Amino acid sequence: MLAGAVCAAAVAASTAVPARAHQGPHWDARDTGVFDVRFRGLAAVSRHTAWVAGTRGTVLRTTDGGGTWRDVSPAGAGALEFRDIEAFDARRAVALSIGEGEASRVYRTDDGGATWTESFRNTDARAFYDCLTFFDRRHGLAVSDPVDGRFRILSTSDGGRSWTVLPNRGMPAAQDGEAGFAASGQCLVSAGPRDVWLATGGAARARVLHSADRGRTWTATDAPIPAGDPARGVFALAFRDRAHGLAVGGDFRPEQDSPKAAARTADAGRTWHPADRPLPAYRSGVAWLPRSRTAALAVGPSGTDLTTDGGRTWRTVDTGSYDTVDCTPDLGCWAAGEQGRVARLEH
């Protein structure tokens, strides 16, 4: 079983060690050819195909396992900050740029990034979009920080070609200072055809909001992750099915400790339980390992951690800096972060 094999990752060294020195699963860095871009957006399609999106309006794509990367950045997007990308295959993808007002935009490509169409541009100066997610190839959502006291939800039913703001009457009131974190593209995640979860922070309590009807009505639950400061909260979520989920976060300031920065749920987010042995530091991304019901990875600027018991305990397995992580059913796991860094998990 993969979960058993991944236990060997506990003895894996940092990414600086040559791949031949590793005895278990480990991150193998793939040269992207760029060093001045931070990739917080990542869409893993398979062990061979992945997309990354980041600063300077940069989008890259590989179809050979990271051996080569093609710069497929949208024309004229050099001033934008891409923080999320969702890909359906090697040719079709949707990317989100963040920022106040018109800096928040959505682009779609159908030809592997050769051309992009801008399908949404935010015209409300009060809105700031953070993350997007898709239930299938047609239906998806994007989320903005609160406008008029409630998180704003953007919806598409044609694969991201057009978008509509949903009514907010089914959204609970936001706390003072509450927002989403555009840190890894994982503050809004989905599982199955209708369930979606939203991670929040920046307020008195960190929360996870859940919708079972594609974003029309929501319930909010407190998460046992540090809050009470604009830099603290839940940064990323991962659900392996509609019931079992993980939440990670903490305080993103490197000089601040992040105790109790991980939690788990087995009831679709109605209740959250802190990890018995939590993450040692702030983590911005999390993903379940494929073909496992208990193993997952969490990543952040100071390292990667592994759980093999469904989020009850975590152990550090790598000290490299990554912001986001994504896995695919064919045992492909990818991570991306600062200085153009991208890596694939090797077994």
Side-chain angles (χ1 to χ4, degrees), residues 198-219:
L198 166 61
T200 82
R205 304 183 311 280
R207 300 198 298 176
V208 177
L209 282 64
H210 172 230
S211 171
D213 56 9
R214 289 184 181 165
R216 296 192 175 274
T217 61
W218 298 78
T219 57

Side-chain angles (χ1 to χ4, degrees), residues 290-305:
R291 304 184 190 177
S292 173
R293 298 176 62 84
T294 57
L297 293 171
V299 300
S302 64
T304 297
D305 302 281

Side-chain angles (χ1 to χ4, degrees), residues 75-96:
L80 299 179
E81 294 252 351
F82 286 113
R83 293 293 181 92
D84 200 355
I85 187 165
E86 303 290 329
F88 308 118
D89 50 41
R91 298 185 61 79
R92 292 174 289 183
V94 179
L96 170 73

Side-chain angles (χ1 to χ4, degrees), residues 38-129:
R38 189 163 196 162
F39 292 120
R40 294 184 184 270
L42 168 64
V45 176
S46 68
R47 281 186 53 80
H48 304 290
T49 299
W51 304 64
V52 289
T55 54
R56 301 175 181 264
T58 306
V59 179
L60 305 182
R61 184 193 64 147
T62 183
T63 56
D64 61 3
T68 59
W69 294 85
R70 180 182 176 189
D71 187 338
V72 295
S73 306
L80 299 179
E81 294 252 351
F82 286 113
R83 293 293 181 92
D84 200 355
I85 187 165
E86 303 290 329
F88 308 118
D89 50 41
R91 298 185 61 79
R92 292 174 289 183
V94 179
L96 170 73
S97 68
I98 63 139
E100 296 178 351
E102 293 191 359
S104 285
R105 305 179 193 180
V106 179
Y107 292 81
R108 178 184 165 105
T109 182
D110 291 295
D111 55 13
T115 60
W116 294 82
T117 300
E118 182 185 306
S119 59
F120 173 78
R121 182 180 296 205
N122 174 47
T123 57
D124 189 335
R126 302 169 299 170
F128 186 115
Y129 285 85

Side-chain angles (χ1 to χ4, degrees), residues 36-337:
D36 57 351
V37 173
R38 189 163 196 162
F39 292 120
R40 294 184 184 270
L42 168 64
V45 176
S46 68
R47 281 186 53 80
H48 304 290
T49 299
W51 304 64
V52 289
T55 54
R56 301 175 181 264
T58 306
V59 179
L60 305 182
R61 184 193 64 147
T62 183
T63 56
D64 61 3
T68 59
W69 294 85
R70 180 182 176 189
D71 187 338
V72 295
S73 306
L80 299 179
E81 294 252 351
F82 286 113
R83 293 293 181 92
D84 200 355
I85 187 165
E86 303 290 329
F88 308 118
D89 50 41
R91 298 185 61 79
R92 292 174 289 183
V94 179
L96 170 73
S97 68
I98 63 139
E100 296 178 351
E102 293 191 359
S104 285
R105 305 179 193 180
V106 179
Y107 292 81
R108 178 184 165 105
T109 182
D110 291 295
D111 55 13
T115 60
W116 294 82
T117 300
E118 182 185 306
S119 59
F120 173 78
R121 182 180 296 205
N122 174 47
T123 57
D124 189 335
R126 302 169 299 170
F128 186 115
Y129 285 85
D130 300 300
C131 298
L132 58 82
T133 189
F134 276 84
F135 302 96
D136 52 43
R137 291 174 181 260
R138 294 176 52 206
H139 300 91
L141 301 176
V143 61
S144 163
D145 289 340
V147 176
D148 294 328
R150 286 177 168 81
F151 284 94
R152 175 171 287 181
I153 301 296
L154 198 64
S155 175
T156 181
S157 59
D158 56 11
R161 295 178 178 87
S162 63
W163 297 83
T164 303
V165 174
L166 294 181
N168 69 1
R169 57 182 174 269
M171 175 68 71
Q175 304 173 82
D176 290 342
E178 192 172 23
F181 289 109
S184 61
Q186 296 178 323
C187 67
L188 186 73
V189 302
S190 56
R194 306 188 69 81
D195 287 273
V196 59
W197 294 264
L198 166 61
T200 82
R205 304 183 311 280
R207 300 198 298 176
V208 177
L209 282 64
H210 172 230
S211 171
D213 56 9
R214 289 184 181 165
R216 296 192 175 274
T217 61
W218 298 78
T219 57
T221 303
D222 291 351
I225 284 180
D229 186 277
R232 298 175 185 163
V234 181
F235 281 72
L237 299 167
F239 277 78
R240 66 173 174 81
D241 53 42
R242 70 175 308 272
H244 298 86
L246 300 170
V248 302
D251 190 318
F252 68 74
R253 295 170 295 191
E255 72 278 8
Q256 297 294 320
D257 293 332
S258 291
K260 302 179 181 178
R264 68 188 190 279
T265 181
D267 57 10
R270 286 188 292 273
T271 58
W272 290 87
H273 306 281
D276 300 330
R277 187 167 68 199
L279 298 165
Y282 156 72
R283 295 295 182 251
S284 56
V286 63
W288 291 93
L289 287 168
R291 304 184 190 177
S292 173
R293 298 176 62 84
T294 57
L297 293 171
V299 300
S302 64
T304 297
D305 302 281
L306 168 73
T307 179
T308 56
D309 53 15
R312 290 175 175 82
T313 62
W314 295 85
R315 64 180 70 184
T316 301
V317 296
D318 188 276
T319 56
S321 174
Y322 296 103
D323 293 308
T324 187
V325 59
D326 194 19
C327 296
T328 63
D330 68 344
L331 305 184
C333 284
W334 298 79

